[in-house]
Amino acid sequence: MSSRHVLTIDGPAASGKSSTAQWVARTLGWRHVDSGSVYRAATFARQQSPGTPATWTEPSVLSAAAGIGLTPVDGSFVPTLAGTPLGDEIRNLVVTAEVSRVAQMSGVRQWVNRVVQQAAEGHDVVVDGRDMGTVVFPDASLKIWLVADPWERARRRLQQRLGRGPSDEEIAAETDELVQRDAKDATQTVQARDAVLIDTTYLTQPEQVERIAALARSVASKR
Ligand code: DC
């Protein structure tokens, strides 16, 4: 039986997973699912209901998240809340500060896993996150573990955010934040034993995309 192909890309924050996954999916003609966007959408949905973040319980997050869906758009998926597409609001400061804690709620993880699996059903997909290759798609045809030096990850993130080359002081402060974020997400960021490690510190984005697409083509041709 010819089965669909699932390529998982996991790794720490700002390792370029989502942009690489999106680009690889486009190169292969597969669909891209960004699991982090679903955790962010759930956090954003909860933010829209009353109560400060300290009062956010798992049931209240799950209840707010009930209005979330993933809608296919241009070979990718956009999270929606009550049918309205969510954009940059899922990257607001409160969401970014609180999403790690929300992502540690086991019921929320089970819910996100189901949403991601349902979106991926019946398609060749590239899915990115922290535990796609271990928990959500343990039988994936190809698993990538994407890493990069924290300083370089911080530099890239700032370059994207500021649209200019950041100073060493700016990179140092961002590196500090990134290392703290890695520590917060550590329990759910798990390298699959059968993952291919790609360190992108010294790779350009086209190089990493081509490397992963070549691996995916090779695996797909054998199935
Ligand atoms: O990749 P990102 O920064 O958009 O992820 C947002 C948050 O969700 C981050 O705290 C890690 C968490 N996350 C997770 O726990 N498991 C995933 N599969 C994807 C993201």
Side-chain angles (χ1 to χ4, degrees):
M1 192 180 81
S2 140
S3 58
R4 69 182 176 132
H5 302 294
V6 176
L7 158 56
T8 60
I9 303 183
D10 290 306
S15 55
K17 294 181 305 285
S18 292
S19 51
T20 302
Q22 193 168 12
W23 196 345
V24 169
R26 218 178 294 139
T27 305
L28 296 169
W30 298 4
R31 288 193 177 188
H32 167 227
V33 189
D34 171 0
S35 60
S37 75
V38 187
Y39 283 103
R40 285 176 176 276
T43 309
F44 176 76
R46 181 60 189 86
Q47 189 193 4
Q48 302 313 296
S49 302
T52 60
T55 67
W56 295 4
T57 57
E58 180 176 295
S60 74
V61 173
L62 286 171
S63 147
I68 291 171
L70 274 182
T71 303
V73 176
D74 280 346
S76 202
F77 289 89
V78 173
T80 55
L81 180 56
T84 304
L86 298 175
D88 283 345
E89 55 269 54
I90 66 169
R91 296 180 196 282
N92 76 34
L93 287 177
V94 174
V95 170
T96 298
E98 299 300 327
V99 63
S100 282
R101 195 166 64 81
V102 168
Q104 272 159 30
M105 298 171 174
S106 61
V108 173
R109 298 201 73 76
Q110 285 166 21
W111 172 80
V112 171
N113 296 350
R114 271 198 309 277
V115 169
V116 169
Q117 282 166 340
Q118 276 165 14
E121 212 162 87
H123 303 286
D124 291 333
V125 285
V126 183
V127 285
D128 78 271
R130 304 293 198 285
D131 57 351
M132 295 297 106
T134 47
V135 177
V136 187
F137 298 98
D139 300 325
S141 9
L142 175 64
K143 303 175 184 178
I144 302 290
W145 181 249
L146 206 65
V147 297
D149 176 78
W151 182 274
E152 177 57 16
R153 285 190 276 143
R155 193 195 62 74
R156 287 177 190 167
R157 175 171 269 197
L158 283 171
Q159 171 79 47
Q160 192 178 33
R161 192 187 303 152
L162 306 173
R164 61 166 170 82
S167 68
D168 280 0
E169 288 70 25
E170 288 171 322
I171 302 175
E174 186 72 18
T175 302
D176 185 38
E177 257 182 47
L178 225 99
V179 168
Q180 286 181 40
R181 159 74 49 164
D182 286 349
K184 278 191 196 166
D185 290 332
T187 42
Q188 55 262 25
T189 308
V190 195
Q191 178 176 7
R193 285 150 68 112
D194 50 349
V196 177
L197 182 146
I198 297 187
D199 183 338
T200 72
T201 307
Y202 301 108
L203 293 178
T204 64
Q205 200 169 40
E207 284 169 341
Q208 39 179 301
V209 167
E210 197 31 59
R211 210 170 267 200
I212 297 171
L215 281 165
R217 283 191 206 100
S218 167
V219 168
S221 71
K222 292 186 190 121
R223 289 192 157 219

